[in-house]
Amino acid sequence: MTDPLHAIPLSEIDEHALPRDRGSIDPEAQDELEISILTTGLRQPIEVWELSTPDETHKYGLISGYRRLSAAKALKHDTIPAFVRTPRDISDALATMVSENEIRAQISPWEKGGLIIDCLASELFDTEDGAINALFGTLSRQKKARLRSITTVVQVFDGALTSPELLSIARIERLAAALRAGWEGLLLDALRTSPSDTLEGQWAALEPAIDEALNPRHNESAPGTRRAPKRSIKYKNALQIRRELTRSGWILRFSGPEAKTPGLMDDVMDHIERLFAEER
């Protein structure tokens, strides 16, 4: 028997009753959806469930159809066609939401990791593996392992990157491998001292540290471990010097307010010249 369709007031639907797996909406795609709804109507109803403890405003929680609900609100609709589902529990509702988004508009790797973290923070699952198995149970063992890497990266870099949902899975896995190698501090330092506020600029700042982390030279130890080479020097917050590996050799990067001190580079160059002159 097909579930009946209801016309539910938009004001009665809590779109944040569940942790959402979509952290951002593509404005161009959203505009296209609004035009489609305006000209031909809503072709696919949303899915909601009746809240067991409704508040003064909301009677239903949104399961799937976040973009459609947002479009209906933007178009000043009063109601929206919806199926009222009866999920077994919150985790069942979350799994339905994830499945629907995978089919319609696949969410980014970063957003998947963010959803897992949000669910753990809300104590909807006891463990990371429990959340992954409930939300992404149909994935292969390899893809579930990849989700663990994604979650690790989101935990460390959440709030530090611009538009992280645009990161490819390949870049996220490189970051995860560098974190496993013990490079968290230097990676975050590279971001903090980067002058760029774009994702590509931030990635360019991270790349030298990632390359060194994933390609250790002469069995060098990871940062913070015994016999690790000196990779960064910080003088309070005024000056930081970090060495970086490039294709042609090493560079020293000076950052912080004192890095622009007049004569600093001249003093450094003079010292290096004396150092090598003594060796000759």
Side-chain angles (χ1 to χ4, degrees):
M1 181 177 178
T2 304
D3 289 341
L5 193 61
H6 301 265
I8 295 179
L10 300 182
S11 60
E12 294 185 1
I13 302 171
D14 182 1
E15 66 264 44
H16 300 297
L18 294 176
R20 308 310 303 181
D21 57 356
R22 190 175 302 283
S24 61
I25 295 179
D26 181 351
E28 183 176 350
Q30 193 67 12
D31 287 344
E32 292 174 354
L33 177 59
E34 290 175 15
I35 292 171
S36 173
I37 293 174
L38 186 63
T39 55
T40 63
L42 184 65
R43 298 183 180 183
Q44 177 64 36
I46 67 171
E47 293 180 295
V48 299
W49 90 97
E50 195 166 353
L51 297 171
S52 58
T53 54
D55 57 33
E56 294 180 358
T57 304
H58 303 116
K59 183 180 178 182
Y60 302 95
L62 180 67
I63 295 177
S64 66
Y66 182 81
R67 291 179 62 243
R68 281 164 276 160
L69 180 62
S70 298
K73 288 183 175 182
L75 294 170
K76 307 299 184 183
H77 290 187
D78 295 320
T79 64
I80 189 169
F83 291 115
V84 179
R85 306 301 191 190
T86 54
R88 294 187 303 274
D89 50 29
I90 294 296
S91 64
D92 185 39
L94 281 164
T96 301
M97 174 191 69
V98 170
S99 176
E100 197 262 358
N101 276 341
E102 284 289 308
I103 293 171
R104 296 189 179 280
Q106 191 173 36
I107 61 175
S108 70
W110 184 275
E111 289 169 323
K112 291 178 183 178
L115 174 62
I116 294 168
I117 291 171
D118 287 345
C119 287
L120 292 174
S122 301
E123 298 183 347
L124 298 175
F125 302 98
D126 294 331
T127 65
E128 181 183 21
D129 283 345
I132 290 173
N133 288 331
L135 301 176
F136 304 96
T138 60
L139 295 184
S140 66
R141 182 180 300 178
Q142 181 181 10
K143 289 183 177 179
K144 287 180 180 178
R146 186 175 292 164
L147 277 175
R148 296 186 192 96
S149 294
I150 294 169
T151 303
T152 298
V153 171
V154 174
Q155 285 175 322
V156 173
F157 293 99
D158 188 30
L161 291 167
T162 302
S163 303
E165 66 277 1
L166 300 180
L167 278 174
S168 66
I169 187 62
R171 285 186 169 182
I172 289 177
E173 288 190 321
R174 282 174 60 79
L175 275 174
L179 290 174
R180 288 193 294 270
W183 284 68
E184 178 178 337
L186 283 175
L187 290 169
L188 290 174
D189 274 348
L191 276 181
R192 279 192 290 265
T193 57
S194 170
S196 177
D197 59 357
T198 68
L199 182 61
E200 285 305 312
Q202 291 170 333
W203 185 259
L206 289 168
E207 192 75 66
I210 295 173
D211 283 343
E212 190 179 352
L214 303 187
N215 301 283
R217 297 160 61 91
H218 310 301
N219 298 317
E220 290 182 346
S221 301
T225 58
R226 189 180 178 186
R227 291 180 296 184
K230 187 173 292 185
R231 295 184 170 94
S232 180
I233 305 172
K234 185 182 294 185
Y235 299 95
K236 296 183 179 180
N237 293 320
L239 178 66
Q240 181 169 351
I241 307 170
R242 189 175 65 252
R243 73 173 197 178
E244 293 181 1
L245 179 62
T246 69
R247 292 181 180 178
S248 58
W250 295 95
I251 65 171
L252 291 178
R253 185 178 298 276
F254 292 72
S255 58
E258 287 193 9
K260 298 180 181 179
T261 301
L264 175 62
M265 289 298 103
D266 290 334
D267 291 342
V268 170
M269 294 298 289
D270 287 343
H271 181 75
I272 292 173
E273 187 175 28
R274 288 194 300 270
L275 176 66
F276 281 93
E278 292 171 2
E279 290 186 355
R280 286 197 296 268

